[in-house]
Amino acid sequence: DSSLLFLIILGFFHFSILLIGNYWAYSCRKVNSTFAESRYVGIAMWSYVQVLVLGIPVLVIVADNPKTLMFVKGTIVFLNDFTLLLFLFGPKVLAVHIPKLLDTSGQGGHILTKF
């Protein structure tokens, strides 16, 4: 069946990109910059992995109930997108609205990276 082959190839591609992105985020975790995002990208990608690990079995379980299946799919998309946006833009918004969170020591980091 060609649709099954397509899903297998798409899943392999998706999983490969996720592994490569996690590796890059891990490799850049100690980059010291005011807006260093590798740590937050890594956290967001790890959250994405968790949502997939929990969401895929639930999708399989509720596959025969269309309303529940649509709800679970929507929840997975929401959690993935929300965590990505939260971890990428949350520290920047906090740093702009609470200026004392920015590091003025000249070392190129900010207090938010100490969490």
Side-chain angles (χ1 to χ4, degrees):
D1 186 34
S2 63
S3 63
L4 181 61
L5 178 64
F6 175 75
L7 287 176
I8 290 172
I9 292 172
L10 184 65
F12 177 75
F13 177 73
H14 188 75
F15 187 71
S16 299
I17 295 296
L18 192 59
L19 286 177
I20 291 169
N22 277 320
Y23 171 74
W24 284 346
Y26 182 77
S27 298
C28 298
R29 72 189 182 283
K30 298 200 183 211
V31 172
N32 198 6
S33 167
T34 301
F35 292 108
E37 295 180 354
S38 63
R39 181 169 187 240
Y40 300 114
V41 170
I43 293 171
M45 292 183 79
W46 181 246
S47 173
Y48 187 67
V49 168
Q50 289 177 337
V51 169
L52 285 179
V53 165
L54 293 174
I56 290 175
V58 174
L59 285 173
V60 171
I61 291 170
V62 299
D64 7 341
N65 189 344
K67 289 182 181 180
T68 309
L69 182 65
M70 188 64 188
F71 175 76
V72 171
K73 285 181 181 179
T75 303
I76 289 172
V77 169
F78 172 77
L79 288 174
N80 285 333
D81 295 345
F82 180 72
T83 55
L84 177 70
L85 292 173
L86 178 71
F87 284 116
L88 287 185
F89 295 112
K92 292 172 187 59
V93 170
L94 284 176
V96 168
H97 289 292
I98 307 172
K100 66 182 177 182
L101 290 177
L102 289 175
D103 183 38
T104 58
S105 66
Q107 294 177 357
H110 57 80
I111 294 174
L112 293 175
T113 61
K114 311 275 190 288
F115 290 135

